[in-house]
Amino acid sequence: MENIECTACIERLQDEFDEIFDYVTFYENFFYHQKRYVIDEIRDEVELLLGEYAFYIVDSSDEEKNQDIIAQINNLLNSKLEEKRNLLDTLERKPFPEWSDDLEILSGEYGFAEYLDRSNTSMNFAEYQQYLSELKPEKLKEEIDEIPEGEEYYSQFTVDDYSKLLEYIQILFHNNYIDDIEHDVKSLMESITIYGMMNAESQTNIFRQGFVLLMTAFDATISDITQVILEENFFEFLARTDCKAKNKNYKLSEIVSLNNFESFKEKVIDEIMKENYVAGLLKLLYQYHKSYFIVDGQDKYRELCEIVARRNIHVHKRGIVDTKYFSDSQGNIYNFQENDYAFITGNYFEQVYELLLRIINNFK
């Protein structure tokens, strides 16, 4: 017969797992929709690389190719970001002259800023600033006066007005240029974040984040389930496992001081729970009933140990394989070398998601 408390633990985990999976899927879809969100200067290069990106994974070779493409795009983004930041370091905003607040020729009504905008030419910023610095106010006045109805509409403006207009416009475009670079820096940083979600080496990799969340929920559920099993099958559990508590010598006075055996039992259970993290609890549960770890006729305990070991190095070692990983994972089923980075790919995340759910459901 199903234990109601245990079933409630499993249902809570399933709900939490569904939320985590939806969270990962949302950001995976967000990447697919935002992957082309890059500044114009590098859009063509990114598009070319994305042309080889496999959006529907078939096997591990697709993931390897995708990670290579992500790495190339990431290098491109970081290189361009460094370039933009270095350029910003060479520029400084210029203050506008006091007279610019009241000069009528600067009124938006006349549209001089739009008329002189660089986007109307094929010149880059430096070329256009040079052009403006060499443009004579007399020539500009003459050019504008030649516009149909221009002399009638603009006749009030003198050559001196146009001289001040050119001075003001150069400052305006200079400061706008800095704004554009700052916008590019912000956009590049956002793009790096977006691509970081799919970069297996990034700490912000969405599959790594989802994996850690899965394991946090799994750990809590294993702890709750073990507590239920101990409370209902105390002696049977102690008999089948090598938990330290059963080898501890308790004095009769300790039992008597707790007034009844149930209180003593709670004390022992509390000691067992405190002296074991999830890896220790899983080992005890495996000793107690190996059937909990059988999925599709195969014993998955060793695979589960690897998952826990990989979680530990991601939480404590930034994903770098150390000697403890090999002992904790009950071997080396993925053929890692010490100091390798243990990637959390989309495929690995989905395998973990499925396996943990299957194992947890075995406890029913």
Side-chain angles (χ1 to χ4, degrees), residues 298-345:
Q298 294 185 328
D299 188 330
K300 296 291 184 178
Y301 175 70
R302 187 180 174 207
E303 189 173 335
L304 187 56
C305 289
E306 191 284 327
I307 292 171
V308 173
R310 194 178 302 205
R311 188 281 307 273
N312 289 342
I313 60 173
H314 271 277
V315 171
H316 302 294
K317 300 290 183 179
R318 298 182 65 83
I320 304 300
V321 174
D322 57 8
T323 53
K324 192 173 185 299
Y325 165 85
F326 299 120
S327 58
D328 289 349
S329 63
Q330 305 290 307
N332 187 15
I333 59 178
Y334 288 95
N335 298 316
F336 284 128
Q337 299 292 321
E338 192 171 350
N339 296 320
D340 279 352
Y341 183 84
F343 294 104
I344 307 296
T345 62

Side-chain angles (χ1 to χ4, degrees), residues 10 31 41 46 83 134 143 160 175 180 207 253 271:
I10 294 168
F31 168 75
E41 292 173 49
V46 171
E83 177 188 318
E134 295 174 353
E143 179 182 313
D160 183 59
N175 291 343
D180 290 342
F207 301 117
S253 58
E271 288 177 359

Side-chain angles (χ1 to χ4, degrees), residues 137-353:
E138 298 87 354
K139 185 176 185 308
L140 180 60
K141 174 174 171 53
E142 180 182 337
E143 179 182 313
I144 292 173
D145 285 345
E146 288 178 356
I147 297 173
E149 301 180 0
E151 188 171 351
E152 177 183 347
Y153 190 59
Y154 298 109
S155 59
Q156 60 183 303
F157 300 123
T158 65
V159 171
D160 183 59
D161 288 329
Y162 280 101
S163 178
K164 289 180 176 178
L165 169 67
L166 286 170
E167 181 182 347
Y168 175 86
I169 289 296
Q170 286 182 78
I171 295 172
L172 175 67
F173 288 173
H174 173 84
N175 291 343
N176 285 350
Y177 180 59
I178 293 176
D179 289 339
D180 290 342
I181 298 170
E182 288 178 341
H183 181 269
D184 284 348
V185 166
K186 182 179 178 182
S187 295
L188 285 163
M189 291 175 67
E190 290 174 352
S191 295
I192 289 169
T193 299
I194 290 170
Y195 280 91
M197 291 192 302
M198 305 303 286
N199 181 357
E201 293 187 4
S202 171
Q203 295 298 300
T204 60
N205 168 23
I206 189 60
F207 301 117
R208 178 186 181 276
Q209 296 297 320
F211 168 70
V212 172
L213 290 173
L214 288 180
M215 293 306 297
T216 300
F218 178 76
D219 288 5
T221 303
I222 286 295
S223 179
D224 291 342
I225 288 174
T226 306
Q227 182 95 21
V228 171
I229 292 172
L230 274 165
E231 289 171 355
E232 296 198 350
N233 304 281
F234 182 70
F235 288 110
E236 183 183 2
F237 191 92
L238 292 181
R240 291 186 180 181
T241 64
D242 61 3
C243 59
K244 296 178 182 178
K246 77 174 184 180
N247 296 318
K248 185 175 178 180
N249 293 320
Y250 293 98
K251 294 181 180 179
L252 181 60
S253 58
E254 290 182 71
I255 302 174
V256 172
S257 67
L258 294 169
N259 295 322
N260 58 65
F261 182 75
E262 281 303 314
S263 297
F264 175 72
K265 174 182 161 183
E266 288 177 12
K267 178 179 183 296
V268 174
I269 290 174
D270 188 55
E271 288 177 359
I272 292 172
M273 298 304 297
K274 284 182 177 179
E275 69 189 16
N276 287 287
Y277 294 110
V278 66
L281 294 178
L282 289 171
K283 178 183 176 182
L284 295 177
L285 289 169
Y286 186 65
Q287 292 172 349
Y288 178 62
H289 261 307
K290 290 186 179 180
S291 60
Y292 293 145
F293 301 88
I294 303 299
V295 175
D296 294 332
Q298 294 185 328
D299 188 330
K300 296 291 184 178
Y301 175 70
R302 187 180 174 207
E303 189 173 335
L304 187 56
C305 289
E306 191 284 327
I307 292 171
V308 173
R310 194 178 302 205
R311 188 281 307 273
N312 289 342
I313 60 173
H314 271 277
V315 171
H316 302 294
K317 300 290 183 179
R318 298 182 65 83
I320 304 300
V321 174
D322 57 8
T323 53
K324 192 173 185 299
Y325 165 85
F326 299 120
S327 58
D328 289 349
S329 63
Q330 305 290 307
N332 187 15
I333 59 178
Y334 288 95
N335 298 316
F336 284 128
Q337 299 292 321
E338 192 171 350
N339 296 320
D340 279 352
Y341 183 84
F343 294 104
I344 307 296
T345 62
N347 186 48
Y348 184 82
F349 169 79
E350 290 186 13
Q351 288 178 359
V352 169
Y353 172 84

Side-chain angles (χ1 to χ4, degrees), residues 116 130-140 143 166:
L116 292 170
Q130 181 67 27
Y131 163 75
L132 289 175
S133 68
E134 295 174 353
L135 180 59
K136 302 298 183 184
E138 298 87 354
K139 185 176 185 308
L140 180 60
E143 179 182 313
L166 286 170

Side-chain angles (χ1 to χ4, degrees), residues 7 15 93 104 123 203 320 324:
T7 300
D15 290 341
R93 292 183 183 277
E104 188 175 4
M123 293 185 242
Q203 295 298 300
I320 304 300
K324 192 173 185 299

